[in-house]
Amino acid sequence: MKQWLESAAYLPRDLRDFHNQKDLFKAMHDTVSVDSHSIAGHIDWVQGQCYVIDVFLWFMAQHGYTLQRSSAKVDFRDLAETVTTSQQARNASVASIFARTATGERDADQA
């Protein structure tokens, strides 16, 4: 069991990579109103990632439970598309900051 846990084989394939985990948790915080949740609003994406991946799912795996895709016949949202859309929005935001800086524009609060 120790080798299985250390290999992260208990996680869905897309969550075994740390960078994929980061992208997923960033996307979740971008698309869900986490900030307005009375309890979870105090948890950022980093804390959420660490708790869910490193604590909760690891603990559950020790007891024989794994996270898996539902087989229900429902039109689910595409996870990869959600993550990609979130990444593109963040990238566009950063690009606009660099573009304003390059053209000498300043934010109103800095003026």
Side-chain angles (χ1 to χ4, degrees):
M1 180 170 66
K2 182 180 178 189
Q3 183 179 6
W4 179 69
L5 287 168
E6 288 174 356
S7 73
Y10 62 93
L11 293 171
R13 188 165 305 282
D14 290 341
L15 287 181
R16 292 178 191 167
D17 177 77
F18 174 75
H19 299 289
N20 290 348
Q21 293 171 12
K22 287 184 357 182
D23 292 339
L24 175 91
F25 278 83
K26 287 178 185 179
M28 183 172 62
H29 276 255
D30 289 344
T31 59
V32 176
S33 297
V34 177
D35 292 341
S36 64
H37 190 277
S38 62
I39 297 170
H42 303 289
I43 300 170
D44 64 23
W45 70 264
V46 175
Q47 294 165 323
Q49 176 186 352
C50 292
Y51 187 83
V52 170
I53 301 293
D54 300 338
V55 177
F56 177 72
L57 292 177
W58 182 83
F59 174 83
M60 295 303 289
Q62 285 185 310
H63 294 85
Y65 294 88
T66 59
L67 181 64
Q68 57 188 327
R69 185 158 173 81
S70 174
S71 61
K73 301 299 181 202
V74 176
D75 289 330
F76 293 107
R77 292 174 62 189
D78 184 279
L79 183 59
E81 182 180 314
T82 298
V83 171
T84 298
T85 300
S86 176
Q87 287 173 316
Q88 289 171 343
R90 282 192 313 277
N91 291 344
S93 178
V94 170
S96 75
I97 291 169
F98 283 120
R100 286 187 309 202
T101 302
T103 61
E105 290 182 39
R106 296 174 58 187
D107 289 335
D109 61 321
Q110 293 178 348

